[in-house]
Amino acid sequence: MLRELLVSASRSKKLEHIVSTSPLSKNVVNRFVAGYDTKSVVQKVTELHKLGIYTTIDRLGEDTLDRNQADATVAAYLELLRALHAAGQTHMAEVSVKLSAVGQALEPNGEEIALTNARKIVEVANEVGTTVTFDMEDHTTIDSTLRILGEIRKSYPNTGGVLQAQLHRTSNDVVNHAYESSRIRLCKGAYAEGPDVAYVDRVEIDKAYVRDMRTLLESKAYPMLATHDPRLIEIAQALVLRTGRSKDTFEFQMLLGVRPEEQKRLVELGYKVRVYVPYGDEWYGYLMRRMAEKPSNLALFVRSLTSKN
Ligand SMILES: Cc1cc2nc3c(=O)[nH]c(=O)nc-3n(C[C@H](O)[C@H](O)[C@H](O)COP(=O)(O)OP(=O)(O)OC[C@H]3O[C@@H](n4cnc5c(N)ncnc54)[C@H](O)[C@@H]3O)c2cc1C
């Protein structure tokens, strides 16, 4: 019921207008999205960097079925990377790219287009002294995304990938990507997936996360542990002690606006923390779709508005 309501809300232009212009939603959006343009996002990440928090920036927009739109997204990333460089922020900021936003879903040769476009972004990132991580989207895109990651890593081995603990296949993907210096973000997974491909029980997802996190921490990979879950963060800290890893060989990652006090606490303890910073004018569809897909996403945002840590 809630899901259907949110799905129809995400498609309603009228509601989008009402929500976008209401002062109340401006406050909510300001908390989770770093503005609409390059200037605002560079300003936001500069503030975070001053607090010792690293960032990975996502230009909002996904599932493009329009070649021009894909090209515009690439151009926006290149502009962003150059602006970060000009502001002297590339030592702490990288970018996150959804391959569906740069053409992966185009017919008939989306994968080829996404690879070419992703390479353009990675080349410029490399020129200005930073890196790119490819976000992971729904399970039907994983093989294609991992092929693109593998191809790009031949020239740029520091390119990051993402694996979602909720999927049955992931423990195997983690083993295959747990090699030296491999930058892998481990998250629970934001997409609603069925029991044929995913664990649907929260306890099972958490157990899978712990198993995958252990594989990464016991390997020579560079794990990027993306979670706000206090129990998983505690288990990570214990595993780090047990494996004898130093604090510069992995990082915690969280979303902008979610548990900001916890982000600062971890930094004070000497951990590396990176915050995922979305920006751009497509925030309405993004937030609504994420919430419609998974009620726990709605809970994550609502809880952030009410909790102090
Ligand atoms: C940096 C980053 C990048 C991501 N990239 C991707 C991606 O590429 N692909 C993808 O599918 N997903 C991605 N995700 C989303 C991810 O998969 C999850 O959907 C999202 O992070 C919620 O899961 P969680 O592990 O944070 O815990 P949840 O299951 O949402 O929450 C677990 C527990 O955390 C605590 N908690 C949560 N929020 C709060 C709060 N505000 N205040 C206090 N306690 C709280 C509660 O105890 C809660 O029970 C990313 C997430 C992050 C942080």
Side-chain angles (χ1 to χ4, degrees):
M1 173 71 183
L2 175 65
R3 190 169 170 184
E4 280 153 23
L5 205 71
L6 287 163
V7 168
S8 57
S10 78
R11 296 199 188 111
S12 159
K13 283 283 156 208
K14 198 167 161 198
L15 194 63
E16 176 171 355
H17 179 73
I18 295 169
V19 173
S20 313
T21 50
S22 126
L24 179 68
S25 51
K26 267 208 183 94
N27 289 341
V28 177
V29 173
N30 283 346
R31 177 162 179 154
F32 302 113
V33 178
Y36 304 110
D37 55 13
T38 307
K39 194 172 160 220
S40 326
V41 72
V42 172
Q43 194 179 331
K44 181 73 204 176
V45 299
T46 305
E47 287 164 20
L48 290 165
H49 298 165
K50 283 187 187 144
L51 299 173
I53 294 173
Y54 290 73
T55 54
T56 183
I57 308 172
D58 167 50
R59 164 107 191 149
L60 291 170
E62 56 201 280
D63 289 336
T64 297
L65 292 172
D66 173 353
R67 183 71 197 259
N68 294 334
Q69 177 65 34
D71 292 344
T73 299
V74 176
Y77 270 107
L78 302 191
E79 180 190 306
L80 169 65
L81 286 162
R82 292 188 178 115
L84 287 168
H85 183 54
Q89 298 301 319
T90 48
H91 62 305
M92 291 187 82
E94 66 144 28
V95 295
S96 280
V97 175
K98 284 192 172 48
L99 292 174
S100 73
V102 295
Q104 191 179 33
L106 292 170
E107 295 287 352
N109 54 345
E111 185 168 326
E112 211 179 294
I113 294 168
L115 173 61
T116 306
N117 281 339
R119 199 187 293 281
K120 284 182 196 160
I121 299 171
V122 175
E123 275 167 4
V124 174
N126 184 60
E127 261 167 49
V128 302
T130 189
T131 49
V132 177
T133 294
F134 298 136
D135 284 345
M136 193 56 88
E137 301 178 67
D138 77 82
H139 80 276
T140 61
T141 63
I142 297 180
D143 286 324
S144 163
T145 297
L146 292 180
R147 275 195 297 273
I148 293 175
L149 176 67
E151 203 48 44
I152 298 273
R153 277 189 171 180
K154 288 181 187 162
S155 319
Y156 302 98
N158 56 6
T159 306
V162 179
L163 296 171
Q164 300 153 320
Q166 68 173 357
L167 297 176
H168 299 150
R169 61 173 286 167
T170 297
S171 49
N172 200 28
D173 289 332
V174 167
V175 169
N176 291 336
H177 288 83
Y179 51 85
E180 189 156 2
S181 306
S182 166
R183 294 175 64 244
I184 290 295
R185 177 193 301 158
L186 182 66
C187 61
K188 288 188 187 179
Y191 297 81
E193 304 283 12
D196 49 332
V197 294
Y199 304 106
V200 284
D201 181 73
R202 289 177 73 87
V203 176
E204 289 302 316
I205 296 172
D206 290 357
K207 279 194 201 158
Y209 194 102
V210 173
R211 278 197 302 273
D212 295 338
M213 170 161 73
R214 180 179 296 137
T215 306
L216 287 172
L217 286 169
E218 287 176 352
S219 76
K220 291 190 168 168
Y222 181 87
M224 304 188 280
L225 305 173
T227 182
H228 312 93
D229 192 327
R231 283 192 58 222
L232 293 180
I233 293 170
E234 248 177 61
I235 295 170
Q237 289 168 308
L239 284 172
V240 164
L241 276 181
R242 218 176 65 191
T243 53
R245 267 187 179 261
S246 60
K247 286 178 177 160
D248 58 352
T249 62
F250 70 100
E251 63 192 50
F252 287 112
Q253 295 193 343
M254 295 191 197
L255 301 176
L256 180 69
V258 181
R259 306 201 71 203
E261 292 306 318
E262 175 67 358
Q263 296 165 14
K264 286 185 216 151
R265 189 186 74 88
L266 289 170
V267 171
E268 277 159 20
L269 290 173
Y271 292 103
K272 186 165 176 180
V273 175
R274 191 181 295 277
V275 167
Y276 186 97
V277 180
Y279 83 104
D281 44 22
E282 288 202 35
W283 60 267
Y284 175 83
Y286 167 83
L287 283 183
M288 287 295 184
R289 270 197 306 280
R290 286 295 88 77
M291 291 180 198
E293 268 161 8
K294 250 185 150 185
S296 62
N297 289 341
L298 176 59
L300 182 84
F301 292 118
V302 170
R303 195 166 175 163
S304 304
L305 292 172
T306 53
S307 79
K308 289 210 167 64
N309 64 350

